[in-house]
Amino acid sequence: MNADKRRRIFELLAEAIPHPTTELRYATPFELLIAVVLSAQATDKGVNKATDKLFPAANTPEAILALGEEGLKEYIKSINLYHGKARNIIALSRILLEKHGGVVPRTREELEALPGVGRKTANVILNTAFGEHTIAVDTHIFRVANRTRLAPGKNVREVERKLEKTTPKEFIKNAHHLLILHGRYTCVARKPKCPVCPIADLCEYPDKTPPGQVQQPPAALLDSSSKTNA
Ligand code: SF4
């Protein structure tokens, strides 16, 4: 795919998604970190439901430690894998207090050293909380990058490398959310909504869904400002 086409794809996505941001609700880097750790193999909606109650009660490392592992579990027990996530959140809160003065660090190395924080989570924090030009490749972005041929790759690291190298500078900060929301609401896994897709003319996917088989994209895509997700 050539550079002009790539730029045009991002221009069209930016027009279609005026507020490219996370659907996880958060107010501080620490809240975002907790929400992203909780969101592994869970829906953002389910995480928001839990954190809507958790954060008013505890939204700092000190307050989370004061809750204790069992106390924390009471707030997050509706979330998949909550036992392990509670353990990691307690451990990472302790490390933040002991090594980082209670604040979320801003480097990949320090973030990835926290329990429950892998490369993808670190990329989301760096991009969403600190405005770094990282692109966390999740299942949605991996699918969109390969289908469109924007950044084809056999694994997430290959797609991440290609996206960071080829995405036009003016779009790299928002690329993560533009692609994730496009994948979540339009270029969905089972039957992509090609007939209503804003980049259908540029997308190189050979098996596009024929016209007449999909509905309009949901309003959520057109106005994600009502949400605050990573
Ligand atoms: S045309 Fe279809 S396959 Fe291509 S990006 Fe749009 S929804 Fe996805």
Side-chain angles (χ1 to χ4, degrees):
M1 178 174 290
N2 68 42
D4 286 347
K5 202 165 168 183
R6 197 171 275 119
R7 179 179 304 279
R8 189 65 193 134
I9 283 179
F10 279 104
E11 283 171 357
L12 290 169
L13 288 179
E15 280 171 24
I17 307 171
H19 302 287
T21 187
T22 175
E23 289 176 324
L24 291 170
R25 283 196 281 272
Y26 72 98
T28 65
F30 181 72
E31 286 188 1
L32 178 64
L33 175 62
I34 299 305
V36 178
V37 168
L38 289 174
S39 71
Q41 294 182 53
T43 64
D44 289 351
K45 210 172 152 192
V47 171
N48 287 338
K49 214 170 153 196
T51 56
D52 280 349
K53 294 205 171 106
L54 171 64
F55 290 156
N59 71 342
T60 63
E62 294 93 332
I64 292 281
L65 283 181
L67 274 184
E69 196 170 317
E70 294 311 311
L72 175 58
K73 281 181 188 172
E74 283 304 309
Y75 287 97
I76 64 169
K77 63 188 177 192
S78 56
I79 298 174
N80 207 14
L81 308 172
Y82 75 96
H83 287 289
K85 289 174 182 175
R87 209 167 32 246
N88 284 335
I89 289 170
I90 292 288
L92 75 79
S93 295
R94 188 167 289 122
I95 294 173
L96 289 184
L97 279 175
E98 288 172 357
K99 293 194 176 165
H100 303 289
V103 300
V104 178
R106 299 181 73 128
T107 70
R108 175 188 301 288
E109 294 70 28
E110 290 169 313
L111 284 167
E112 286 188 21
L114 297 172
V117 178
R119 185 178 181 86
K120 183 160 77 75
T121 299
N123 275 339
V124 172
I125 303 297
L126 289 169
N127 177 259
T128 308
F130 301 131
E132 301 280 339
H133 293 173
T134 58
I135 300 178
V137 176
D138 74 341
T139 176
H140 299 299
I141 295 181
F142 186 75
R143 184 175 64 249
V144 171
N146 273 293
R147 275 183 182 163
T148 55
R149 309 300 289 171
L150 200 53
K154 289 186 202 63
N155 54 56
V156 293
R157 285 298 292 275
E158 194 179 344
V159 170
E160 179 186 315
R161 252 194 320 273
K162 283 190 185 171
L163 281 174
E164 288 186 357
K165 193 168 159 204
T166 60
T167 301
K169 276 198 185 63
E170 65 270 37
F171 293 109
I172 198 157
K173 184 170 174 296
N174 286 336
H176 169 76
H177 290 117
L178 288 173
L179 295 173
I180 220 171
L181 290 168
H182 181 64
R184 191 175 286 169
Y185 294 111
T186 303
C187 193
V188 293
R190 277 227 232 132
K191 190 189 277 187
K193 300 175 180 178
C194 309
V196 295
C197 173
I199 57 169
D201 290 348
L202 303 162
C203 168
E204 296 178 4
Y205 187 48
D207 301 315
K208 292 193 183 96
T209 306
Q213 291 197 17
V214 296
Q215 306 292 313
Q216 288 291 325
L221 174 65
L222 303 174
D223 183 10
S224 55
S225 62
S226 56
K227 303 166 178 178
T228 52
N229 189 3

